[in-house]
Amino acid sequence: MTVTKGNEPGTELADQNLVTLTVDDVEVSVPEGTLVIRAAELIGVEIPRFCDHPLLAPVGACRQCLVDVPDAGNGRGFPKPQASCTLPVSPGMVVKTQVTSPVADKAQHGIMEFLLVNHPLDCPMCDKGGECPLQNQAMSHGQGETRFTEKKRTYPKPLAISSQILLDRERCILCARCTRFSEQIAGDPFIAMAERGALQQVAIYENEPFSSYFSGNTIQICPVGALTSSSYRFRSRPFDLVSTPAVAEHDACGAAIRVDHRRGKVVRRLSGDDPEVNEEWISDKDRFAFTYARQADRLTRPLVRDPETGALEPASWPAAFLAAARGLAAAAATSGVGVVTGGRLTTEDAYAYAKLARTVLGTNDIDFRARPQSAEEAEFLAHAVAGSGLGVTYRDLEEATKVVLVGLEPEDEAATIFLRLRKAWRTNGTQVVAVASHATRALEKVGGQLVRTIPGDEAKALGEAGLAPGTIVLLGERLARVEGAFTTALAAASRSGARLAWVPRRAGDRGAVEAGCLPNLLPGGRPVADAEARADLAAAWGVASLPGEPGRSTDDILAAALAGEIGALLVAGVEVDDLADPQAALDAVDAAGFVVSLEVRASAVTERADVVLPVAAVAEKAGSFVNWEGRRRPFEAVIPVPHALPDTRVLAGIAEAAGHDLGFRTPEAAAAELAEVGVWDGARAPKPEVVPGRAPRTDPSEVVLDTWRRLIDDGRGQDGDRHYQATARPSVALLSSATARAFGVREGEEIVLRTDRGAVAVPAGIADIADGVVWTPANSNGLSLLGILGAAYGAVVTVERSVPADEADALSGPPHPHVPTEEDEQ
Amino acid sequence: MATLKEQLWDPIAGFGVTFRTMFKKPVTVQYPFEKRPTAPRFHGRHQLNRWPDGLEKCIGCELCAWACPADAIFVEGASNTEDERFSPGERYGRVYQINYLRCILCGLCIEACPTRALTMTNEYELADTSRESLIFEKSDLLAPLLPGMEQPPHPLRLGDDERDYYSGQAAARAVAEGSVAAGPGGEQ
Amino acid sequence: MGLEEKLPSGVLLTTVEGLAGYFRKASFWPATFGLACCAIEMMEFGAPKYDSSRFGMEVFRASPRQADLMIVAGRVSQKMAPVLRQIYDQMPGPKYVLAMGVCASSGGMFNNYAIVQGVDHIVPVDMYLPGCPPRPEMLIDAVMKLHTKIQDTKLGAHRVAEIAADEKVALEAVPTTAMKGLLR
């Protein structure tokens, strides 16, 4: 049970006003304002309840928690039993629960009988059966035998209130947990109570689905089986599942989750309970996007390219290790090796790459940023982020007076931050300011204000955000495309006393910074340029020296490979369409003499690689992520899969085949070594000094592209669940009315965004967005802006009004790949 | 000194048993050649029963799998749709497997079954040469189609909704229509 | 030599195989390997009511050197596993293994650290017999099915080819640990 701050017993207890009352003849002191139901919990009495949830406002809807109050603290008692979930304690109060009061017990039995009057007896086919609070409490506080002989109320079922959420109104006991969650926590009040009396029911607006990125939480908090998910429907039963605590791998928030699997297959994920991080809520992406690891294109055996036929042939692990080691060692001895790792790596795996690159391959050409990046960003990370430990936390966000979001759209890119910002605004009145081209719905939901800017002008606009001590500035990864943004933010923060935090988009990003997967950074935040730091690390690793030349960034590595300056590439979990120039990246992979790819599933890189080494997906290995706060989030393997080795083990194998010893073979040993190497306590890397740039100038036919990835989009980590994918929001190209008028575009009409690479057609939407800017999602509905247009945040695209007939076919971009569903799999 | 009886009679007395037995019927059962029926409630191979119209009784609730002490049953449910209906109600057992190399034929699954879909037959000749062949799939376990039954998927034939089936009206209607003999449909 | 070259190919050898199979199946020499409750049913199988002498296998040998059928009756603990393997190795070929009961076949309801999850982890099993314990009829049925299998056993070069073919199938088979959805 999460205890929210304020009600928390413990350290601050003495400072708070304590109220002493008697519950079941036991005297207990609790902070003022505590509800009787929580006071009873403190003495170990569990009052049955359905509507009560510690993170939601009390409502007293189900009436199950009735207790007898013979003395309300003023000498008089309540004449009838009271709902303990809405009753705050008062001094001298006497409460008798079902344990000591036959009146309370009888009242609870009566309410339970009422609740069961219209509740169907379909427990054997209900998904909640086995973990159902109603089932459990009907056993502990129910009659056992029904006296109800009449016909029960029925409704058509199940009712799909979104493609993922199914509603069964027969089972609903009207506790309003789902509607309260949507209204209070998520801010998406798309479900509500309709009708009155016996016909009262949870309903959605006509023709409006329950469209919320957090809809899955309602399934989890529903105390009966009234809300179920399409993808888990009838899949399994709770008593058959093995639950493992884990950490969500889709964003940098480090949300605690619980993974349930049976017979080697993950069947569902639930929110974990971590009051410091995600409380009890997770986004739908964290909840439903887990089928990617069992798609048909999953790699299961090492593949080595046959020199004669040129085809990839299955090989044994030792043979593949040897082939990879020979190729990499040959290149390392002559032209050099570039290491490009993606954002999916755990900290331990990232450390293994960092150490392999420095000790075995003898290079600093390693970069985890498989996305548009800048040298300024690397310098910023080295100066302000790496090795800085726990910085701004979720709790700091909650207590901040003001939070400024720059280059970050919290609902899409860091869902847990969004929920905390909403909570901060609702409970603490925190002011949220977004420096962006337009106010998104998420910004409205956190009561935020907009400092309007054009992509590229963020550095200038930051001055208008009004930083002060107590302000927290969250910097998104898009700022790598904005010249001078990090420099300005650092300067503004030090001037005003505001605190900074860098919020990357992927789970492994912060861990990779800590592990030294950057050309200018060694593990533990040691700057490459610092000879002392290098000597310190060389001593810890037991090597004579480390390469002192700062390495190349991802873009430079790929450019060097294309130019033939780098002989071999070691690529890990990189999706080519994420890179700044996907076509050039593919050409670089083709041009490189030798490519080793460590991947979970087949990709454009594995097709071109000389050695493909299949690695374990997140659920199959132990490890840890470091979330944006700098908090280490360790997790254990959920399902052991014999053929899936973690990257760490594979890299250790390659190192051993090359005649080196990496020093560890398991993620546990890697974590221990990383902890032993420790954080650099010497001089930090210097600040970035980049003159702020300006937004690009545009012709009348051009606009500046504002874009980010939506929470639910075409990312490959979300493959395989059609119900989940159907909840993605439709693509739209947002223009201001003035811009739209200038191009002669009406709302809903298709417009074409074009660069010299290609074109995409997206329906136009009119919004209150800066003039001369178009916003469209980066990778939704089969349209990858980087893949098709080669255009990232802040790029210039031309806008055309309609689709010329001869190009109609070429426009749509790559068709949706066939996504194998659960049904296909069986 | 042994008596005369001990010297003469006792050594051959034991043969009396042998001699007497020559006139008794042999107790040996001629099993593979002559098969005697088992006790009617003998716990043999399982069977998944059908309603009189051929729909499956199994709703895929997995209570049998829960009850199983040997973890020998694997069930996965799925939704019935209007076009593809296998059982009355929302849910049917899409995957049903019993591993007879784990099953101890204890019958707890039978007691757990809320729809009497799972019962046991008296068949016991189960030995086989491989592990895979002793994992029985749903197709191996389903009761044969009796006259009047129709291979699912098909719509409800004996009632408007699943309540008619569970309240016994479906069986009554089947008997009235003469499609099946009276008695619990499909069960043995 | 000589004779089979004049005959249409295969005739004589097939007959010898059939004859050898007939003799083999009709005179099993089981090794006692009663480990638990199944052994009681195995004794019943040898006793007058079910009378294994009807199938020429009444003599249960205490010495593996004189036996060619091992009826593993009962759960095999991890400690018993090497003993079982040694006894199997001491049996002269051709030899057969019958896993009697679910515990010997797959570990049964004892899915724990102490019990070998199926004797096929240790020795090749020719016949799996479910039941807990199987009644003697079931054991007779399993022995009859084993008879059929032995009757069809090949000899000489054909046997070598058969073993090679079986080996190939076994190597390509999906390991039980990798069976998706299936119960192992």
Side-chain angles (χ1 to χ4, degrees):
Chain A
M1 174 116 349
T2 301
V3 181
T4 51
K5 195 174 158 52
N7 293 354
E8 188 173 46
T11 50
E12 302 140 58
L13 204 63
D15 309 337
Q16 295 173 355
N17 293 327
L18 290 188
V19 171
T20 304
L21 74 160
T22 311
V23 182
D24 285 340
D25 308 328
V26 178
E27 208 161 83
V28 60
S29 295
V30 293
E32 200 176 355
T34 305
L35 299 170
V36 169
I37 197 166
R38 307 257 179 285
E41 273 166 16
L42 289 180
I43 64 155
V45 171
E46 196 183 337
I47 300 169
R49 85 285 304 268
F50 296 111
C51 69
D52 174 67
H53 192 283
L55 296 177
L56 300 175
V59 65
C62 71
R63 317 306 296 174
Q64 184 59 48
C65 59
L66 292 179
V67 290
D68 192 20
V69 186
D71 183 354
N74 53 4
R76 283 182 295 153
F78 284 99
K80 288 181 181 173
Q82 292 298 301
S84 58
C85 73
T86 51
L87 188 66
V89 295
S90 57
M93 190 181 229
V94 177
V95 176
K96 288 189 174 297
T97 70
Q98 74 277 5
V99 178
T100 50
S101 161
V103 176
D105 194 41
K106 184 159 187 242
Q108 289 174 6
H109 275 78
I111 292 291
M112 180 61 76
E113 199 173 12
F114 269 134
L115 290 177
L116 292 175
V117 156
N118 273 320
H119 192 83
L121 294 173
D122 62 352
C123 299
M125 61 172 71
C126 174
D127 274 339
K128 202 81 175 183
E131 56 178 3
C132 176
L134 182 62
Q135 224 178 14
N136 296 342
Q137 296 184 58
M139 296 300 284
S140 56
H141 303 283
Q143 297 261 19
E145 297 234 341
T146 180
R147 294 185 288 170
F148 187 74
T149 51
E150 293 78 7
K151 239 182 152 53
K152 293 193 184 230
R153 175 198 61 196
T154 58
Y155 288 113
K157 68 177 186 179
L159 194 68
I161 56 175
S162 76
S163 78
Q164 182 65 267
I165 313 286
L166 303 173
L167 170 65
D168 186 328
R169 288 165 292 173
E170 291 175 14
R171 294 180 189 148
C172 179
I173 56 165
L174 302 171
C175 69
R177 270 190 184 186
C178 52
T179 54
R180 284 184 294 147
F181 168 82
S182 304
E183 191 200 326
Q184 296 167 14
I185 307 293
D188 298 314
F190 291 119
I191 50 175
M193 289 290 176
E195 305 284 352
R196 285 289 192 161
L199 288 176
Q200 194 178 26
Q201 54 187 277
V202 173
I204 51 171
Y205 301 104
E206 205 173 351
N207 306 326
E208 281 268 327
F210 178 31
S211 153
S212 169
Y213 283 157
F214 304 96
S215 59
N217 291 305
T218 60
I219 300 172
Q220 193 175 342
I221 57 173
C222 182
V224 293
L227 290 165
T228 52
S229 96
S230 301
S231 35
Y232 177 67
R233 185 172 159 84
F234 302 159
R235 278 265 173 259
S236 178
R237 300 209 72 99
F239 37 76
D240 235 9
L241 299 174
V242 182
S243 299
T244 317
V247 176
E249 77 275 37
H250 290 300
D251 60 20
C253 292
I257 56 170
R258 188 184 116 191
V259 182
D260 286 358
H261 75 96
R262 90 160 166 172
R263 298 196 189 270
K265 200 168 137 185
V266 175
V267 291
R268 69 168 175 182
R269 303 210 303 196
L270 297 174
S271 171
D273 180 1
D274 193 334
E276 288 300 318
V277 179
N278 58 322
E279 299 190 306
E280 293 179 36
W281 319 120
I282 55 172
S283 67
D284 283 2
K285 189 179 189 173
D286 292 342
R287 186 179 300 270
F288 297 119
F290 58 81
T291 48
Y292 63 91
R294 51 170 188 257
Q295 300 304 304
D297 57 359
R298 178 79 196 261
L299 299 166
T300 52
R301 303 182 68 178
L303 304 169
V304 176
R305 197 168 290 282
D306 191 313
E308 280 160 28
T309 62
L312 282 172
E313 299 288 348
S316 68
W317 278 105
F321 285 156
L322 200 61
R326 277 194 188 135
L328 291 176
T334 54
S335 47
V337 180
V339 184
V340 183
T341 71
R344 68 162 168 76
L345 298 180
T346 63
T347 314
E348 289 74 14
D349 289 344
Y351 177 63
Y353 281 98
K355 190 169 180 188
L356 182 91
R358 271 58 182 248
T359 59
V360 178
L361 306 176
T363 179
N364 280 318
D365 288 342
I366 176 169
D367 197 344
F368 73 90
R369 295 171 296 170
R371 56 179 169 78
Q373 83 266 176
S374 70
E376 184 195 359
E377 185 191 21
E379 285 168 26
F380 167 77
L381 294 177
H383 171 73
V385 175
S388 62
L390 194 63
V392 176
T393 62
Y394 285 106
R395 176 155 290 184
D396 293 341
L397 289 185
E398 217 173 300
E399 289 164 0
T401 49
K402 187 175 193 175
V403 177
V404 179
L405 309 168
V406 193
L408 176 72
E409 154 48 48
E411 195 181 14
D412 281 325
E413 296 179 301
T416 308
I417 292 183
F418 165 74
L419 292 182
R420 271 309 170 95
L421 288 179
R422 185 167 158 82
K423 186 180 176 194
W425 170 61
R426 278 174 55 87
T427 59
N428 195 32
T430 301
Q431 190 189 3
V432 180
V433 176
V435 177
S437 68
H438 64 293
T440 57
R441 238 187 73 202
L443 191 63
E444 288 164 26
K445 286 188 276 190
V446 297
Q449 293 154 357
L450 180 71
V451 172
R452 199 181 297 276
T453 179
I454 291 177
D457 271 349
E458 278 87 347
K460 208 170 66 186
L462 196 57
E464 300 164 33
L467 307 191
T471 304
I472 292 172
V473 183
L474 298 182
L475 305 170
E477 69 166 33
R478 284 202 295 285
L479 296 185
R481 294 270 305 164
V482 180
E483 242 174 76
F486 288 113
T487 310
T488 318
L490 277 173
S494 66
R495 222 177 18 245
S496 64
R499 299 172 73 195
L500 282 186
W502 177 65
V503 182
R505 214 180 59 79
R506 291 184 172 131
D509 281 358
R510 178 71 190 263
V513 172
E514 303 297 335
C517 283
L518 271 175
N520 58 341
L521 260 187
L522 297 170
R526 290 171 177 77
V528 167
D530 190 337
E532 232 176 276
R534 286 204 308 274
D536 178 51
L537 188 64
W541 280 351
V543 292
S545 70
L546 292 170
E549 196 78 350
R552 282 171 273 211
S553 69
T554 304
D555 287 350
D556 294 344
I557 289 172
L558 291 172
L562 191 57
E565 291 161 21
I566 280 183
L569 290 175
L570 174 59
V571 185
V574 172
E575 202 53 43
V576 170
D577 277 356
D578 293 345
L579 295 166
D581 192 340
Q583 192 50 51
L586 281 185
D587 293 344
V589 172
D590 281 334
F594 187 77
V595 179
V596 180
S597 178
L598 280 75
E599 256 298 2
V600 176
R601 289 163 60 197
S603 72
V605 178
T606 60
E607 273 170 31
R608 292 163 168 79
D610 297 283
V611 179
V612 178
L613 298 158
V615 291
V618 174
E620 294 154 10
K621 62 184 175 189
S624 70
F625 290 125
V626 180
N627 74 355
W628 66 271
E629 302 169 286
R631 194 189 295 272
R632 189 165 176 266
R633 307 289 286 157
F635 54 88
E636 292 299 316
V638 175
I639 3 175
V641 178
H643 61 73
L645 304 183
D647 295 47
T648 306
R649 177 67 190 88
V650 174
L651 295 179
I654 293 176
E656 281 157 28
H660 294 264
D661 181 12
L662 209 51
F664 47 80
R665 278 179 148 196
T666 60
E668 292 79 12
E673 195 186 297
L674 182 57
E676 202 172 302
V677 165
V679 175
W680 176 237
D681 48 7
R684 295 196 72 80
K687 274 186 205 180
E689 298 289 352
V690 175
V691 182
R694 294 188 55 83
R697 292 183 182 283
T698 51
D699 289 342
S701 67
E702 291 172 341
V703 288
V704 179
L705 179 67
D706 183 6
T707 183
W708 56 77
R709 285 156 184 272
R710 278 184 163 157
L711 184 83
I712 302 173
D713 68 1
D714 295 345
R716 289 189 79 199
Q718 306 169 56
D719 287 350
D721 186 341
R722 62 195 159 89
H723 301 292
Y724 163 74
Q725 280 164 336
T727 59
R729 294 178 184 169
S731 264
V732 66
L734 296 180
L735 299 162
S736 72
S737 51
T739 315
R741 220 174 311 119
F743 288 106
V745 179
R746 276 194 301 271
E747 181 140 30
E749 242 174 30
E750 252 187 12
I751 60 166
V752 177
L753 306 177
R754 185 183 294 279
T755 63
D756 49 356
R757 294 284 171 79
V760 294
V762 190
I766 307 294
D768 184 18
I769 185 170
D771 290 338
V773 174
V774 63
W775 180 88
T776 191
N779 189 22
S780 290
N781 304 74
L783 302 176
S784 163
L785 296 189
L786 274 168
I788 302 170
L789 300 181
Y793 180 75
V796 174
V797 293
T798 56
V799 174
E800 288 162 23
R801 208 181 131 215
S802 62
V803 187
D806 56 325
E807 282 185 18
D809 298 337
L811 270 184
S812 51
H816 258 296
H818 172 67
V819 179
T821 58
E822 293 285 306
E823 281 74 19
D824 294 344
E825 210 179 290
Q826 292 290 334
Chain B
M1 184 66 200
T3 61
L4 203 61
K5 175 173 171 289
E6 278 168 350
Q7 283 180 334
L8 295 176
W9 174 246
D10 287 1
I12 61 166
F15 289 104
V17 177
T18 314
F19 187 73
R20 272 206 312 282
T21 311
M22 286 168 69
F23 299 101
K24 283 190 176 161
K25 261 183 89 177
V27 294
T28 309
V29 294
Q30 299 298 322
Y31 160 67
F33 316 108
E34 235 177 73
K35 290 179 186 172
R36 291 204 304 189
T38 60
R41 297 178 66 173
F42 174 75
H43 285 187
R45 186 177 78 85
H46 299 78
Q47 171 171 287
L48 283 170
N49 298 312
R50 296 175 189 272
W51 292 100
D53 62 355
L55 285 178
E56 294 157 14
K57 283 189 170 178
C58 177
I59 55 167
C61 71
E62 301 183 28
L63 288 180
C64 46
W66 190 20
C68 184
D71 206 9
I73 307 183
F74 175 76
V75 192
E76 199 171 296
S79 290
N80 279 316
T81 58
E82 281 313 310
D83 315 323
E84 256 201 335
R85 174 169 290 286
F86 291 89
S87 72
E90 280 181 274
R91 178 170 175 157
Y92 76 99
R94 185 168 61 86
V95 180
Y96 199 105
Q97 296 174 335
I98 296 183
N99 183 352
Y100 279 99
L101 288 185
R102 290 253 181 223
C103 172
I104 59 170
L105 302 171
C106 63
L108 289 179
C109 44
I110 309 307
E111 289 180 34
C113 185
T115 60
R116 259 193 102 58
L118 192 67
T119 53
M120 279 175 148
T121 65
N122 294 346
E123 189 189 328
Y124 54 80
E125 292 171 340
L126 296 170
D128 212 327
T129 52
S130 73
R131 275 193 173 205
E132 299 91 274
S133 57
L134 278 158
I135 296 172
F136 281 37
E137 296 279 344
K138 188 175 159 189
S139 51
D140 307 317
L141 293 166
L142 270 174
L145 289 165
L146 298 176
M149 290 183 177
E150 187 186 340
Q151 177 71 37
H154 65 75
L156 301 175
R157 299 267 189 254
L158 300 172
D160 303 325
D161 61 11
E162 70 273 16
R163 288 176 187 82
D164 291 348
Y165 281 75
Y166 294 125
S167 62
Q169 287 172 26
R173 198 192 296 189
V175 173
E177 285 173 5
S179 57
V180 289
E187 276 173 33
Q188 290 196 341
Chain C
M1 293 291 150
L3 186 57
E4 62 258 54
E5 274 143 34
K6 294 193 179 80
L7 281 164
S9 80
V11 169
L12 191 61
L13 272 178
T14 314
T15 314
V16 171
E17 276 172 354
L19 207 60
Y22 181 76
F23 291 145
R24 269 184 194 162
K25 76 171 189 185
S27 64
F28 260 146
W29 294 74
T32 49
F33 218 94
L35 291 169
C37 20
C38 281
I40 305 296
E41 299 292 311
M42 186 171 72
M43 292 173 208
E44 176 91 3
F45 161 71
K49 182 157 184 195
Y50 292 95
D51 198 6
S52 56
S53 68
R54 291 182 295 147
F55 318 111
M57 52 186 296
E58 72 274 31
V59 193
F60 279 80
R61 305 311 307 201
S63 157
R65 306 266 183 216
Q66 299 161 350
D68 59 357
L69 169 69
M70 180 156 67
I71 302 180
V72 186
R75 76 284 177 286
V76 182
S77 63
Q78 303 283 8
K79 269 196 167 181
M80 188 50 105
V83 182
L84 188 136
R85 177 71 212 194
Q86 190 176 9
I87 290 193
Y88 177 80
D89 287 341
Q90 286 171 346
M91 283 163 56
K95 54 193 173 185
Y96 306 93
V97 177
L98 197 163
M100 180 179 178
V102 292
C103 304
S105 301
S106 73
M109 65 185 296
F110 302 112
N111 192 351
N112 60 34
Y113 64 90
I115 302 297
V116 176
Q117 296 298 302
V119 277
D120 49 5
H121 285 90
I122 317 165
V123 293
V125 174
D126 296 277
M127 189 59 63
Y128 297 88
L129 173 58
C132 185
R135 52 194 284 150
E137 278 103 330
M138 294 168 85
L139 180 55
I140 295 172
D141 171 57
V143 169
M144 290 294 119
K145 282 174 176 162
L146 197 54
H147 279 181
T148 324
K149 189 176 170 181
I150 292 163
Q151 173 77 65
D152 297 338
T153 307
K154 304 267 192 301
L155 282 180
H158 290 180
R159 176 69 186 148
V160 174
E162 192 186 29
I163 289 172
D166 287 350
E167 187 84 7
K168 193 158 177 288
V169 171
L171 280 176
E172 282 169 3
V174 183
T176 43
T177 50
M179 287 177 183
K180 281 276 154 58
L182 279 180
L183 303 146
R184 2 185 240 269

